[in-house]
Amino acid sequence: MTQGVPAHTPEEDKGGLRTALAGLTTRGRSFLAAGIAAAICAYVLGQSDLLRVGLLLAVLPLVCATVLYRTRYRVAGSRRLSPGRVPAGSEARVHLRMDNVSRLPTGLLMLQDRVPYVLGPRPRFVLDRVEAGGRREVSYRVRSDLRGRYPLGPLQLRLTDPFGMCELTRSFSTYDTLTVIPHVEPLPPVRLSGEAKGYGDGRQRALALAGEDDVIPRGYRHGDDLRRVHWRLTARYGELMVRREEQPQRSRCTVFLDTRGLAFQGAGPDSAFEWAVSGAASTLVHMLERGFSVRLLTDTGSSVPAEGADGFAGASQESADAAGLMMDTLAVIDHSDGAGLSRAYDVLRGGNEGLLVAFFGDLDEEQATVVAKMRQRSGGAVAFLLDSESWVREAADVPGPLDKSEERLRMLREAGWTALKVPRGVGLADLWRQADRQRMGIGAGSGTEGRS
């Protein structure tokens, strides 16, 4: 929630009559001009009655502007987003609340919130008289098909007099940010190679030493087996202590996203790059839900999150927080200026990465060789190759040259990757199942990889 500032502050009094006159509406300026013209004509013609009419017309907008400017009521505003993070194509509701914190009732208020054009038209509301200590609540919806971070605000409040002669605008000082994350597609729970460590379908347990000096104790929790109570430590600490006899090891998954600008063609929500970003987001959420320690890696060598063991979202970090951090990163990620994947390979070369799920753009022979080496440091590797040229060609429905991506797929598969080509319009869930079937076929043919 964002708290606003008073609609009228003492600092604004320094503008004096100049600020008040600047707020005259077309009606107020017309009255003022007609009054001055009538006064001049009355002076020239010597008509005293016309002079009184002219003075009345000229004074009325000035009085309205002065009274409106000197009004001492104060209005506070707040904004609440529901929710503050939404997938692309979904709607978020913005709730605005105005509180009259002064002892005087307000006049007619016109409320306007500033929003980027991609979120829709600028919302405007007219609020009737707000009693002293009263409040008014309004709301509007925003929607964007493009991911990103969009500022909302500052909130503007327009004050007007009952005659419509003057209109003053007050701006609140704070704003909120709406985060539009990539679209997340639910994925089926298939068994990919490299998943067998930790949570999921296969689980390994690290048994703690059971000796009296080496036992790992913790406080008793509701539902613990009483047979695990360590009585000697209970007597020492004065509370029930139990043996923590086994520690679950979280398996790892690295989601790699190729962001090189030269590897993707086209732009917009239906481009190949946006599909890759959405695919990476779907994979991150899916693996976190299955209990994996996950990180996001790009071709620049940067990984998210940076904390934890080797940059992974460890057991001490909540999955929801890790997902939010990586989703915020994907919401604003853009093309990089790099030409190669060597930086990412150096990061992967540091140790066993568990399962590696990668989304690549166009690969030349040199970069395909680097990608083939990445497989050596992972327990399992799945690659989705997006031939962005074919995406642009299909969108334009223009025949193009012979597809060369099959050669890259063959190189990756020979290196041990489960590699699939991503045609335009295919969902990640279908490719996810296809990857599982391809892995099973490789295992059946070679006898080296079985079902995890």
Side-chain angles (χ1 to χ4, degrees), residues 147 256-264 273 298-302 332-341 343:
R147 56 184 176 83
F256 175 81
L257 177 61
D258 185 5
T259 64
R260 296 172 298 145
L262 54 81
F264 294 93
F273 180 68
T298 66
D299 57 284
T300 61
S302 61
V332 297
I333 200 168
D334 201 355
H335 292 295
S336 67
D337 297 330
L341 304 173
R343 293 182 180 179

Side-chain angles (χ1 to χ4, degrees), residues 58-109:
V59 170
L60 180 59
L62 298 179
V63 172
C64 291
T66 304
V67 172
L68 181 64
Y69 186 78
R70 293 296 179 180
T71 301
R72 292 298 175 177
Y73 58 80
R74 298 166 67 87
V75 178
S78 62
R79 182 191 297 104
R80 178 171 58 87
L81 301 179
S82 178
R85 182 189 292 120
V86 296
S90 300
E91 289 185 344
R93 182 172 289 275
V94 182
H95 301 269
L96 302 177
R97 172 176 156 179
M98 304 302 300
D99 293 272
N100 183 10
V101 297
S102 68
R103 300 179 181 179
L104 298 175
T106 69
L108 188 66
L109 303 178

Side-chain angles (χ1 to χ4, degrees), residues 18 61 78 80 101 303 327-328 335 377 386 391 406 446:
R18 180 181 301 176
S78 62
R80 178 171 58 87
V101 297
S303 62
M327 283 298 179
D328 290 344
H335 292 295
R377 292 295 180 177
L386 292 92
W391 280 57
E406 294 298 331
S446 63

Side-chain angles (χ1 to χ4, degrees), residues 195 253 283-292 294 355 432:
E195 291 188 13
C253 176
T283 304
L284 289 170
V285 173
H286 176 73
M287 302 310 293
L288 283 171
E289 289 176 348
R290 298 194 63 184
F292 281 71
V294 183
L355 178 64
W432 199 256

Side-chain angles (χ1 to χ4, degrees), residues 164-201:
M165 297 290 181
C166 185
E167 184 179 275
L168 297 181
T169 300
R170 313 289 190 189
S171 293
F172 292 80
S173 60
T174 53
Y175 64 91
D176 283 309
T177 302
L178 175 68
T179 303
V180 180
I181 62 176
H183 173 71
V184 175
E185 182 179 355
L187 301 180
V190 301
R191 297 179 180 178
L192 298 174
S193 59
E195 291 188 13
K197 299 179 180 179
Y199 299 131
D201 300 306

Side-chain angles (χ1 to χ4, degrees), residues 250-256 280-281 283-297 303-307 309-315 317 319 322-323 326 353 355:
R250 295 168 64 94
S251 57
R252 293 179 173 182
C253 176
T254 297
V255 179
F256 175 81
T283 304
L284 289 170
V285 173
H286 176 73
M287 302 310 293
L288 283 171
E289 289 176 348
R290 298 194 63 184
F292 281 71
S293 292
V294 183
R295 73 171 172 181
L296 172 67
L297 180 65
S303 62
V304 180
E307 295 81 9
D310 300 329
F312 286 85
Q317 186 174 2
S319 296
M326 289 183 282
E353 302 301 322
L355 178 64

Side-chain angles (χ1 to χ4, degrees), residues 123-434:
R124 294 181 175 89
F125 304 94
V126 177
L127 304 181
D128 293 332
R129 177 178 178 273
V130 182
E131 64 279 4
R135 69 178 59 170
R136 296 290 186 271
E137 295 183 2
V138 294
S139 64
Y140 64 93
R141 295 180 179 181
V142 290
R143 179 181 181 273
S144 175
D145 293 328
L146 301 175
R147 56 184 176 83
R149 292 174 62 87
Y150 302 102
L152 301 179
L155 194 63
Q156 289 185 335
L157 192 64
R158 293 185 179 181
L159 313 177
T160 182
D161 65 283
F163 299 101
M165 297 290 181
C166 185
E167 184 179 275
L168 297 181
T169 300
R170 313 289 190 189
S171 293
F172 292 80
S173 60
T174 53
Y175 64 91
D176 283 309
T177 302
L178 175 68
T179 303
V180 180
I181 62 176
H183 173 71
V184 175
E185 182 179 355
L187 301 180
V190 301
R191 297 179 180 178
L192 298 174
S193 59
E195 291 188 13
K197 299 179 180 179
Y199 299 131
D201 300 306
R203 305 188 181 192
Q204 290 183 348
R205 301 288 184 173
L207 298 179
L209 297 177
E212 294 292 339
D213 297 331
D214 298 319
V215 67
I216 304 177
R218 64 168 174 82
Y220 176 82
R221 300 173 185 170
H222 178 72
D224 286 339
D225 191 348
L226 292 178
R227 291 175 296 182
R228 295 173 55 192
V229 175
H230 193 282
W231 298 108
R232 178 176 296 181
L233 291 176
T234 297
R236 179 185 301 175
Y237 291 104
E239 60 177 337
L240 284 177
M241 304 293 292
V242 297
R243 293 183 177 90
R244 189 166 54 188
E245 295 177 348
E246 53 184 22
Q247 299 271 0
Q249 291 183 342
R250 295 168 64 94
S251 57
R252 293 179 173 182
C253 176
T254 297
V255 179
F256 175 81
L257 177 61
D258 185 5
T259 64
R260 296 172 298 145
L262 54 81
F264 294 93
Q265 300 181 25
D270 297 329
S271 64
F273 180 68
E274 292 301 322
W275 192 98
V277 174
S278 177
S282 302
T283 304
L284 289 170
V285 173
H286 176 73
M287 302 310 293
L288 283 171
E289 289 176 348
R290 298 194 63 184
F292 281 71
S293 292
V294 183
R295 73 171 172 181
L296 172 67
L297 180 65
T298 66
D299 57 284
T300 61
S302 61
S303 62
V304 180
E307 295 81 9
D310 300 329
F312 286 85
S316 62
Q317 186 174 2
E318 295 293 337
S319 296
D321 296 337
L325 180 60
M326 289 183 282
M327 283 298 179
D328 290 344
T329 301
L330 289 176
V332 297
I333 200 168
D334 201 355
H335 292 295
S336 67
D337 297 330
L341 304 173
S342 58
R343 293 182 180 179
Y345 173 70
D346 292 338
V347 175
L348 294 173
R349 193 170 53 181
N352 191 345
E353 302 301 322
L355 178 64
L356 175 61
V357 182
F359 296 85
F360 296 106
D362 298 330
L363 296 175
D364 55 22
E365 185 175 358
E366 179 182 357
Q367 301 309 318
T369 303
V370 176
V371 172
K373 295 179 181 179
M374 293 181 180
R375 174 65 179 86
Q376 302 173 2
R377 292 295 180 177
S378 61
V382 181
F384 298 95
L385 271 66
L386 292 92
D387 183 7
S388 60
E389 183 179 354
S390 65
W391 280 57
V392 176
R393 194 166 61 244
E394 290 180 16
D397 197 19
V398 176
L402 183 64
D403 186 10
K404 299 180 180 179
S405 60
E406 294 298 331
E407 177 65 21
R408 307 293 179 250
L409 289 173
R410 184 188 61 80
M411 292 181 59
L412 297 188
R413 288 168 181 170
E414 289 179 353
W417 283 84
T418 301
L420 294 92
K421 179 182 177 181
V422 181
R424 183 181 179 87
V426 177
L428 181 60
D430 296 333
L431 295 175
W432 199 256
R433 297 187 185 93
Q434 185 178 345

